[in-house]
Structure formats: C-alpha cells, structure tokens
Amino acid sequence: MGKIKIGIIGGSGMDNPLILEDRKEKKVTTPFGDPSDVLILGTIKGVDCVLLARHGRSHNLFPSIVNYRANIWALKEEGCSHLIATTMCGSLQENKHPGEIVLIDDFIDRTTKRKLTFFDCTSDAASGVCHVPMNEPFCPKTRAVLASCVKALGYPFHEKGTMITIEGPRFSTRAESRLFRQWRADVVNMSTVPEVTLAKEVGLLYASVALVTDYDSWREDREAVNVELAVKTFKENADKACKVLLYAIPKIAEQDWDEDIQQNEEIARSSVLK
Ligand code: ADE
C-alpha cells in the first residue's frame, strides 16, 4: 500500500495552518504562474499534508482572479494524491440550512472568465488537447470517508448535492437564484469550478467540504445573502471544517488508494489527444 499525501485547499477562513504539525513554508511557482500563496507542508497525525489558502493568507484574491491552474499544478507537483477543498456556499433548497455541511457530488458551471484547462497550447508542460470525462467529478471513496467522519462528529450534513459555481464576485439575483433551484442545484458558490475539473485533468482525487452560510437570494422570508451574513454564519461554524479535516485525514490514510490513484491517473492520461 503506497503512501498518500493530502492537499488541503482552504476556503475563506478555513485555511488555518495551525491544523498542521511540523509546519514548513515552501514558495513555489509553476508553468502556469504563481499559486495563491506559499504551500504549507506538514502532517496531521503522521499523514503528510500540504495546505494552500485558495484566496491567499491575507485573503487578497477574489474568486475570478484565483490562479486555479497554478494552485492545482503546485499541489500535484508537491506529490499530492488527494485534494480536499473547503468552501462556503449558499443553500438553494429547503432541506439545506446554514451551518450544515454538504459533501457535493456534482456541479453546474456558470463561470465565464476562468482558465478551464491546462491544455490550452500555452505550455509545453501540458501538450495536446484534453477532453476529460466529468461524469464523476468528486472522488466517491473520499466522500464516503468524509461522510462517516462528519456523521461520527455529529454535525448535520448531506451526503451529496449539486454545487452551482457562479462567476461572481456579486451574489445572484432573485431570478437567478430561482432559476438555479429549478435546475435542481442544491448549493451555490464561486470556487468549485474550475478547481475540481483541473484536479481531474492531472489525476488527483478531489473532494469538497461545503459549509452552508446562507439561503442565497430566493427565500422571501429570510435575509438575502450579503457578506456580513455569510461571514457571521461562517465564523460560527468554521471550526467544523477544521475538525472534519483533523478527524478524516487519518481515516483516509488507513485505506488502500493504490488502485484509485492508478485509475484516476489513467483517466487523465487517456483524455489527452496528442
Ligand atoms: N458563498 C457563500 N454564499 C454564497 C452564495 N449565496 N452565492 C455564492 N457564493 C457564496
């Protein structure tokens, strides 16, 4: 059974380096530019981890200008086998409430300004044309471990859900929010795409812990999403995401991932037409 390494992409306020022991900062660059910040190498109960603050440690990068390609490339180069992302999100459905966790299993892409592939003929590091399958964007086995851990911790959560990623930086209108409900999306954020698709292009096992902070804009009987509301709910619940990571990462490391890693790398390799 090979050793695994877990990349943690910390969303706003969920990028606390103190969750890692034996921390060491490493500044890296990639053929696609610089990642959002330094990589923080360390361990969680003996499991090798690499933490990256998606929006930078000083939270200076808004979702449209995050260099997702550099982030994913840097984590792959550092030897990660898995990525666990954390993100805040708005609820689009009656049964998903602020403070709850959704272990999303699918997405709808409503982004418009992002670099969606490594294979865009700009770098020799990724040559050819890539059409990566997206029938299973999130690693089901990692999600299953996360689900059992969130359950054991006693946090209210949903085993699956569809995330709609909007371009932002503005929040959605009422009409957009209602439309997303009709499309049967469960939650909305600004960062899952293209993070998850780029991870797939390089064969990483990706899962996301999405923390609901608001009801977006569709509910007439609740305050519509605004920064103050989202941040307040998030602050009340941020420790949940950290506790899930601390509990789940050693459990993930107990399993044998050799076949999953091999399969995902083969999917990535076979998706490129040279
Ligand atoms: N992040 C947190 N809440 C959100 C919402 N309602 N829309 C987009 N991104 C979000």
Side-chain angles (χ1 to χ4, degrees), residues 57-194:
R57 282 175 297 178
S58 51
H59 206 264
N60 53 336
L61 302 169
F62 70 97
S64 300
I65 63 161
V66 167
N67 190 340
Y68 297 93
R69 295 200 301 179
N71 288 355
I72 299 295
W73 195 270
L75 291 164
K76 175 76 180 175
E77 278 293 294
E78 201 49 47
C80 291
S81 50
H82 295 64
L83 291 186
I84 303 181
T86 53
T87 176
M88 290 197 252
C89 61
S91 164
L92 295 166
Q93 299 297 341
E94 307 272 357
N95 69 342
K96 312 246 167 3
H97 306 286
E100 294 179 351
I101 285 171
V102 185
L103 299 172
I104 47 176
D105 68 329
D106 214 337
F107 71 79
I108 296 172
D109 181 8
R110 286 272 296 179
T111 66
T112 55
K113 296 186 174 57
R114 306 182 185 189
K115 296 204 165 130
L116 298 173
T117 179
F118 291 111
F119 298 84
D120 65 349
C121 309
T122 59
S123 169
D124 292 341
S127 62
V129 176
C130 180
H131 298 290
V132 78
M134 213 43 66
N135 57 308
E136 196 154 69
F138 301 89
C139 172
K141 189 163 146 188
T142 309
R143 285 182 42 246
V145 182
L146 287 168
S148 68
C149 293
V150 180
K151 197 170 183 180
L153 289 166
Y155 298 146
F157 80 107
H158 302 268
E159 281 186 28
K160 58 186 186 160
T162 297
M163 177 69 80
I164 186 156
T165 300
I166 58 169
E167 185 57 52
R170 68 167 177 83
F171 290 116
S172 305
T173 63
R174 254 192 215 151
E176 287 166 336
S177 199
R178 286 198 209 108
L179 177 69
F180 302 158
R181 277 165 57 72
Q182 283 179 14
W183 286 351
R184 315 246 305 262
D186 296 285
V187 276
V188 53
N189 78 346
M190 300 182 195
S191 64
T192 296
V193 184

Side-chain angles (χ1 to χ4, degrees), residues 9-73:
I9 304 184
S12 317
M14 290 181 274
D15 48 11
N16 183 355
L18 299 179
I19 64 170
L20 298 186
E21 294 153 45
D22 310 316
R23 285 181 301 279
K24 197 167 79 190
E25 288 182 13
K26 185 170 174 185
K27 190 166 166 43
V28 297
T29 188
T30 78
F32 303 93
D34 293 339
S36 299
D37 210 323
V38 294
L39 302 181
I40 304 185
L41 317 186
T43 58
I44 291 180
K45 301 222 177 78
V47 183
D48 289 330
C49 295
V50 185
L51 178 71
L52 175 58
R54 182 187 294 116
H55 303 280
R57 282 175 297 178
S58 51
H59 206 264
N60 53 336
L61 302 169
F62 70 97
S64 300
I65 63 161
V66 167
N67 190 340
Y68 297 93
R69 295 200 301 179
N71 288 355
I72 299 295
W73 195 270

